[in-house]
Amino acid sequence: MKRKNWKHLMMLFMLVAAVGMVAAGCGNNNTASGGSNTGSANTGGAAATEAPAEAAVVTLGLLPSIDAIPFIIAHEQGFDKEHNVNLDIQTFKSAKDRDVAFQAGKVDGISADLVAISIYNEAGLDVKITSTTTGEFDLLTGNDEIQDVKDLKGKTVILSKNTSTQYTVAMMLKQAGLSEADITVSEVPQIPTRLELLKNKKADAAVLPEPFVTMGESAGLRVLSSTHSAGVNPFVLAFPQSVIDAKPQAIRDMYAAYNEAVEYMKSHDQAEYMDLIIKEVGYPETLKDEIKVPEYQPANQVDVKEVEAAFAWARETGLLTKNISAEDVISDVQFKN
């Protein structure tokens, strides 16, 4: 009997030892992964060992213009990863190509314009402005007879219809005492093609963004006016409300990366990131010393008056018939009151 009890005691001892070894092994595994083998489930020790959430992807559809640069810098310098977001940047040669991708759901957000916002919402798409961007349109000419915007009467102007290029020209003409009826519009959506046509004297003037303005000036073209001198700012970043609802934190993280990129460009010499701009935005290498990067500001929300002015023009041209106000198309996902 004693021998039997002793045998049971030895088996129990061996079982306890085995359990202890398993527990020790588990404790070593927790330590190796950065956890603690002293925490209990009740104190949240397990939660402390969880890995950070995987970075959300925000796909942006951008045009090859200066408003794309901070986003490109944010991604290339890894500022997006630092803020737990992955910027997937896709560039398009024309607004129409961008719109096709946007409507097909291939991009989350886009660098857009206020006229496009009116068209999207007129079509029943719930698209919201999340911020302005730093953009610029210039009106260029190679015709020596044209020295001012008022000289465009009876002339041909290349632009993309039903976009802010047309809206910008309309505002410039109005300030010069003219109307759209005073010019002949040539519809050319592709930005590089506009420049080539103007250089080859196939039109009298054209609306272009950077870097094509610098390229045009280097070829002898002259700037008649710009969105800056005309006091027009139609450039925005926009997302469908469905994406804003699904990725609100990712959008805020995107803007944190954007703002960090702005600060980076302020504190670093332009030469340090110029090669990247030439590669991604399309500046020719030969114009490297002529490129002037604007003084970017942190992201800010659009001015309601700018939206109202663009929507008024859209109504005049028949692009907007619905009763949509500026407040209806502005999101507070980044700029809460």
mmCIF file of all heavy atoms in Angstrom, residues 130-160:
data_model
loop_
_atom_site.group_PDB
_atom_site.id
_atom_site.type_symbol
_atom_site.label_atom_id
_atom_site.label_comp_id
_atom_site.label_asym_id
_atom_site.label_seq_id
_atom_site.Cartn_x
_atom_site.Cartn_y
_atom_site.Cartn_z
ATOM 1 N N THR A 130 -12.436 67.878 -48.392
ATOM 2 C CA THR A 130 -11.796 67.704 -47.089
ATOM 3 C C THR A 130 -10.748 68.776 -46.811
ATOM 4 O O THR A 130 -10.377 68.994 -45.660
ATOM 5 C CB THR A 130 -11.147 66.309 -46.976
ATOM 6 O OG1 THR A 130 -10.230 66.115 -48.066
ATOM 7 C CG2 THR A 130 -12.214 65.222 -47.008
ATOM 8 N N SER A 131 -10.265 69.455 -47.857
ATOM 9 C CA SER A 131 -9.317 70.561 -47.672
ATOM 10 C C SER A 131 -9.059 71.231 -49.009
ATOM 11 O O SER A 131 -9.444 70.721 -50.064
ATOM 12 C CB SER A 131 -7.974 70.059 -47.106
ATOM 13 O OG SER A 131 -7.226 69.404 -48.118
ATOM 14 N N THR A 132 -8.367 72.362 -48.961
ATOM 15 C CA THR A 132 -7.838 72.962 -50.182
ATOM 16 C C THR A 132 -6.503 72.280 -50.490
ATOM 17 O O THR A 132 -5.956 71.532 -49.680
ATOM 18 C CB THR A 132 -7.584 74.465 -50.024
ATOM 19 O OG1 THR A 132 -6.631 74.659 -48.961
ATOM 20 C CG2 THR A 132 -8.872 75.204 -49.686
ATOM 21 N N THR A 133 -5.978 72.544 -51.674
ATOM 22 C CA THR A 133 -4.611 72.155 -52.005
ATOM 23 C C THR A 133 -3.924 73.365 -52.633
ATOM 24 O O THR A 133 -4.583 74.340 -52.986
ATOM 25 C CB THR A 133 -4.571 70.978 -53.010
ATOM 26 O OG1 THR A 133 -5.254 71.362 -54.210
ATOM 27 C CG2 THR A 133 -5.224 69.734 -52.430
ATOM 28 N N THR A 134 -2.608 73.296 -52.743
ATOM 29 C CA THR A 134 -1.855 74.405 -53.331
ATOM 30 C C THR A 134 -1.694 74.161 -54.819
ATOM 31 O O THR A 134 -0.860 73.370 -55.250
ATOM 32 C CB THR A 134 -0.472 74.540 -52.665
ATOM 33 O OG1 THR A 134 -0.646 74.767 -51.269
ATOM 34 C CG2 THR A 134 0.298 75.702 -53.275
ATOM 35 N N GLY A 135 -2.531 74.819 -55.596
ATOM 36 C CA GLY A 135 -2.463 74.666 -57.044
ATOM 37 C C GLY A 135 -2.395 76.014 -57.728
ATOM 38 O O GLY A 135 -2.511 77.070 -57.096
ATOM 39 N N GLU A 136 -2.224 75.983 -59.036
ATOM 40 C CA GLU A 136 -2.205 77.225 -59.812
ATOM 41 C C GLU A 136 -2.457 76.914 -61.280
ATOM 42 O O GLU A 136 -1.917 75.954 -61.828
ATOM 43 C CB GLU A 136 -0.859 77.946 -59.674
ATOM 44 C CG GLU A 136 -0.811 79.266 -60.441
ATOM 45 C CD GLU A 136 0.502 80.011 -60.259
ATOM 46 O OE1 GLU A 136 1.291 79.630 -59.368
ATOM 47 O OE2 GLU A 136 0.756 80.956 -61.026
ATOM 48 N N PHE A 137 -3.320 77.694 -61.901
ATOM 49 C CA PHE A 137 -3.511 77.680 -63.345
ATOM 50 C C PHE A 137 -2.981 79.004 -63.887
ATOM 51 O O PHE A 137 -3.239 80.064 -63.309
ATOM 52 C CB PHE A 137 -4.985 77.567 -63.731
ATOM 53 C CG PHE A 137 -5.608 76.231 -63.465
ATOM 54 C CD1 PHE A 137 -6.938 76.136 -63.087
ATOM 55 C CD2 PHE A 137 -4.879 75.061 -63.613
ATOM 56 C CE1 PHE A 137 -7.525 74.904 -62.849
ATOM 57 C CE2 PHE A 137 -5.468 73.827 -63.384
ATOM 58 C CZ PHE A 137 -6.793 73.749 -63.007
ATOM 59 N N ASP A 138 -2.266 78.941 -65.007
ATOM 60 C CA ASP A 138 -1.819 80.159 -65.678
ATOM 61 C C ASP A 138 -2.380 80.173 -67.099
ATOM 62 O O ASP A 138 -2.541 79.119 -67.732
ATOM 63 C CB ASP A 138 -0.293 80.222 -65.729
ATOM 64 C CG ASP A 138 0.315 80.582 -64.387
ATOM 65 O OD1 ASP A 138 -0.226 80.151 -63.349
ATOM 66 O OD2 ASP A 138 1.337 81.269 -64.373
ATOM 67 N N LEU A 139 -2.670 81.362 -67.573
ATOM 68 C CA LEU A 139 -3.131 81.548 -68.944
ATOM 69 C C LEU A 139 -1.941 82.033 -69.759
ATOM 70 O O LEU A 139 -1.430 83.138 -69.518
ATOM 71 C CB LEU A 139 -4.271 82.566 -68.972
ATOM 72 C CG LEU A 139 -4.914 82.853 -70.333
ATOM 73 C CD1 LEU A 139 -5.541 81.596 -70.915
ATOM 74 C CD2 LEU A 139 -5.960 83.966 -70.187
ATOM 75 N N LEU A 140 -1.482 81.225 -70.704
ATOM 76 C CA LEU A 140 -0.278 81.527 -71.482
ATOM 77 C C LEU A 140 -0.618 81.813 -72.936
ATOM 78 O O LEU A 140 -1.615 81.313 -73.466
ATOM 79 C CB LEU A 140 0.713 80.365 -71.427
ATOM 80 C CG LEU A 140 1.555 80.224 -70.158
ATOM 81 C CD1 LEU A 140 0.757 79.607 -69.037
ATOM 82 C CD2 LEU A 140 2.802 79.385 -70.434
ATOM 83 N N THR A 141 0.237 82.580 -73.573
ATOM 84 C CA THR A 141 0.096 82.871 -74.998
ATOM 85 C C THR A 141 1.462 82.923 -75.669
ATOM 86 O O THR A 141 2.474 83.207 -75.013
ATOM 87 C CB THR A 141 -0.634 84.214 -75.227
ATOM 88 O OG1 THR A 141 -0.841 84.404 -76.627
ATOM 89 C CG2 THR A 141 0.187 85.384 -74.691
ATOM 90 N N GLY A 142 1.448 82.653 -76.954
ATOM 91 C CA GLY A 142 2.654 82.822 -77.757
ATOM 92 C C GLY A 142 2.403 83.787 -78.895
ATOM 93 O O GLY A 142 3.238 83.948 -79.778
ATOM 94 N N ASN A 143 1.243 84.454 -78.865
ATOM 95 C CA ASN A 143 0.840 85.404 -79.895
ATOM 96 C C ASN A 143 1.256 86.813 -79.477
ATOM 97 O O ASN A 143 0.789 87.339 -78.467
ATOM 98 C CB ASN A 143 -0.676 85.332 -80.095
ATOM 99 C CG ASN A 143 -1.156 86.156 -81.270
ATOM 100 O OD1 ASN A 143 -0.501 87.106 -81.695
ATOM 101 N ND2 ASN A 143 -2.325 85.805 -81.788
ATOM 102 N N ASP A 144 2.125 87.427 -80.257
ATOM 103 C CA ASP A 144 2.632 88.757 -79.907
ATOM 104 C C ASP A 144 1.547 89.837 -79.926
ATOM 105 O O ASP A 144 1.720 90.900 -79.346
ATOM 106 C CB ASP A 144 3.770 89.150 -80.859
ATOM 107 C CG ASP A 144 5.009 88.287 -80.676
ATOM 108 O OD1 ASP A 144 5.164 87.718 -79.571
ATOM 109 O OD2 ASP A 144 5.805 88.168 -81.630
ATOM 110 N N GLU A 145 0.445 89.565 -80.609
ATOM 111 C CA GLU A 145 -0.651 90.534 -80.639
ATOM 112 C C GLU A 145 -1.410 90.581 -79.311
ATOM 113 O O GLU A 145 -2.132 91.540 -79.049
ATOM 114 C CB GLU A 145 -1.638 90.178 -81.759
ATOM 115 C CG GLU A 145 -1.054 90.256 -83.160
ATOM 116 C CD GLU A 145 -2.059 89.841 -84.215
ATOM 117 O OE1 GLU A 145 -3.206 89.472 -83.825
ATOM 118 O OE2 GLU A 145 -1.727 89.880 -85.414
ATOM 119 N N ILE A 146 -1.229 89.570 -78.510
ATOM 120 C CA ILE A 146 -1.953 89.473 -77.234
ATOM 121 C C ILE A 146 -1.018 89.869 -76.097
ATOM 122 O O ILE A 146 -0.069 89.155 -75.770
ATOM 123 C CB ILE A 146 -2.483 88.040 -77.018
ATOM 124 C CG1 ILE A 146 -3.404 87.643 -78.176
ATOM 125 C CG2 ILE A 146 -3.223 87.928 -75.695
ATOM 126 C CD1 ILE A 146 -3.816 86.192 -78.163
ATOM 127 N N GLN A 147 -1.281 91.002 -75.507
ATOM 128 C CA GLN A 147 -0.478 91.493 -74.390
ATOM 129 C C GLN A 147 -1.254 91.515 -73.080
ATOM 130 O O GLN A 147 -0.675 91.690 -72.013
ATOM 131 C CB GLN A 147 0.032 92.901 -74.693
ATOM 132 C CG GLN A 147 0.959 92.965 -75.900
ATOM 133 C CD GLN A 147 2.237 92.146 -75.696
ATOM 134 O OE1 GLN A 147 2.833 92.156 -74.619
ATOM 135 N NE2 GLN A 147 2.651 91.441 -76.746
ATOM 136 N N ASP A 148 -2.570 91.342 -73.177
ATOM 137 C CA ASP A 148 -3.430 91.381 -71.995
ATOM 138 C C ASP A 148 -4.622 90.465 -72.239
ATOM 139 O O ASP A 148 -4.920 90.113 -73.390
ATOM 140 C CB ASP A 148 -3.893 92.821 -71.727
ATOM 141 C CG ASP A 148 -4.453 92.986 -70.324
ATOM 142 O OD1 ASP A 148 -5.672 92.768 -70.167
ATOM 143 O OD2 ASP A 148 -3.688 93.316 -69.405
ATOM 144 N N VAL A 149 -5.322 90.101 -71.166
ATOM 145 C CA VAL A 149 -6.477 89.219 -71.297
ATOM 146 C C VAL A 149 -7.522 89.820 -72.222
ATOM 147 O O VAL A 149 -8.158 89.108 -73.010
ATOM 148 C CB VAL A 149 -7.088 88.914 -69.906
ATOM 149 C CG1 VAL A 149 -8.379 88.108 -70.050
ATOM 150 C CG2 VAL A 149 -6.084 88.161 -69.025
ATOM 151 N N LYS A 150 -7.688 91.138 -72.177
ATOM 152 C CA LYS A 150 -8.703 91.785 -73.023
ATOM 153 C C LYS A 150 -8.421 91.607 -74.513
ATOM 154 O O LYS A 150 -9.317 91.705 -75.355
ATOM 155 C CB LYS A 150 -8.818 93.265 -72.671
ATOM 156 C CG LYS A 150 -7.619 94.116 -73.034
ATOM 157 C CD LYS A 150 -7.862 95.566 -72.646
ATOM 158 C CE LYS A 150 -6.773 96.503 -73.148
ATOM 159 N NZ LYS A 150 -5.432 96.147 -72.698
ATOM 160 N N ASP A 151 -7.148 91.294 -74.849
ATOM 161 C CA ASP A 151 -6.775 91.092 -76.248
ATOM 162 C C ASP A 151 -7.206 89.723 -76.776
ATOM 163 O O ASP A 151 -6.987 89.411 -77.955
ATOM 164 C CB ASP A 151 -5.262 91.241 -76.422
ATOM 165 C CG ASP A 151 -4.776 92.636 -76.050
ATOM 166 O OD1 ASP A 151 -5.558 93.591 -76.235
ATOM 167 O OD2 ASP A 151 -3.630 92.757 -75.569
ATOM 168 N N LEU A 152 -7.805 88.909 -75.926
ATOM 169 C CA LEU A 152 -8.240 87.577 -76.338
ATOM 170 C C LEU A 152 -9.553 87.603 -77.120
ATOM 171 O O LEU A 152 -9.978 86.561 -77.634
ATOM 172 C CB LEU A 152 -8.409 86.662 -75.110
ATOM 173 C CG LEU A 152 -7.117 86.193 -74.421
ATOM 174 C CD1 LEU A 152 -7.467 85.433 -73.157
ATOM 175 C CD2 LEU A 152 -6.290 85.327 -75.368
ATOM 176 N N LYS A 153 -10.185 88.737 -77.220
ATOM 177 C CA LYS A 153 -11.454 88.818 -77.942
ATOM 178 C C LYS A 153 -11.271 88.330 -79.381
ATOM 179 O O LYS A 153 -10.414 88.809 -80.116
ATOM 180 C CB LYS A 153 -11.986 90.255 -77.935
ATOM 181 C CG LYS A 153 -13.395 90.361 -78.515
ATOM 182 C CD LYS A 153 -13.972 91.748 -78.315
ATOM 183 C CE LYS A 153 -15.394 91.817 -78.855
ATOM 184 N NZ LYS A 153 -16.018 93.148 -78.620
ATOM 185 N N GLY A 154 -12.096 87.342 -79.746
ATOM 186 C CA GLY A 154 -12.025 86.764 -81.082
ATOM 187 C C GLY A 154 -10.923 85.734 -81.259
ATOM 188 O O GLY A 154 -10.733 85.218 -82.361
ATOM 189 N N LYS A 155 -10.213 85.408 -80.177
ATOM 190 C CA LYS A 155 -9.088 84.471 -80.259
ATOM 191 C C LYS A 155 -9.499 83.078 -79.769
ATOM 192 O O LYS A 155 -10.544 82.890 -79.161
ATOM 193 C CB LYS A 155 -7.909 84.979 -79.429
ATOM 194 C CG LYS A 155 -7.434 86.377 -79.784
ATOM 195 C CD LYS A 155 -6.941 86.477 -81.219
ATOM 196 C CE LYS A 155 -6.384 87.872 -81.510
ATOM 197 N NZ LYS A 155 -5.928 88.017 -82.899
ATOM 198 N N THR A 156 -8.625 82.113 -80.032
ATOM 199 C CA THR A 156 -8.868 80.720 -79.633
ATOM 200 C C THR A 156 -8.085 80.388 -78.369
ATOM 201 O O THR A 156 -6.872 80.630 -78.298
ATOM 202 C CB THR A 156 -8.434 79.748 -80.750
ATOM 203 O OG1 THR A 156 -9.182 80.047 -81.933
ATOM 204 C CG2 THR A 156 -8.687 78.304 -80.341
ATOM 205 N N VAL A 157 -8.786 79.827 -77.391
ATOM 206 C CA VAL A 157 -8.168 79.460 -76.113
ATOM 207 C C VAL A 157 -8.352 77.961 -75.886
ATOM 208 O O VAL A 157 -9.470 77.440 -75.980
ATOM 209 C CB VAL A 157 -8.786 80.246 -74.942
ATOM 210 C CG1 VAL A 157 -8.141 79.827 -73.620
ATOM 211 C CG2 VAL A 157 -8.628 81.748 -75.166
ATOM 212 N N ILE A 158 -7.259 77.274 -75.568
ATOM 213 C CA ILE A 158 -7.305 75.839 -75.293
ATOM 214 C C ILE A 158 -7.541 75.613 -73.795
ATOM 215 O O ILE A 158 -6.847 76.190 -72.957
ATOM 216 C CB ILE A 158 -5.982 75.159 -75.690
ATOM 217 C CG1 ILE A 158 -5.669 75.395 -77.159
ATOM 218 C CG2 ILE A 158 -6.039 73.663 -75.408
ATOM 219 C CD1 ILE A 158 -4.305 74.864 -77.565
ATOM 220 N N LEU A 159 -8.498 74.749 -73.493
ATOM 221 C CA LEU A 159 -8.771 74.403 -72.103
ATOM 222 C C LEU A 159 -9.535 73.088 -72.061
ATOM 223 O O LEU A 159 -9.783 72.458 -73.090
ATOM 224 C CB LEU A 159 -9.539 75.520 -71.398
ATOM 225 C CG LEU A 159 -10.789 76.105 -72.087
ATOM 226 C CD1 LEU A 159 -11.993 75.194 -71.958
ATOM 227 C CD2 LEU A 159 -11.112 77.492 -71.511
ATOM 228 N N SER A 160 -9.909 72.677 -70.872
ATOM 229 C CA SER A 160 -10.741 71.488 -70.690
ATOM 230 C C SER A 160 -12.118 71.958 -70.241
ATOM 231 O O SER A 160 -12.256 72.581 -69.187
ATOM 232 C CB SER A 160 -10.122 70.558 -69.637
ATOM 233 O OG SER A 160 -10.917 69.406 -69.458
#
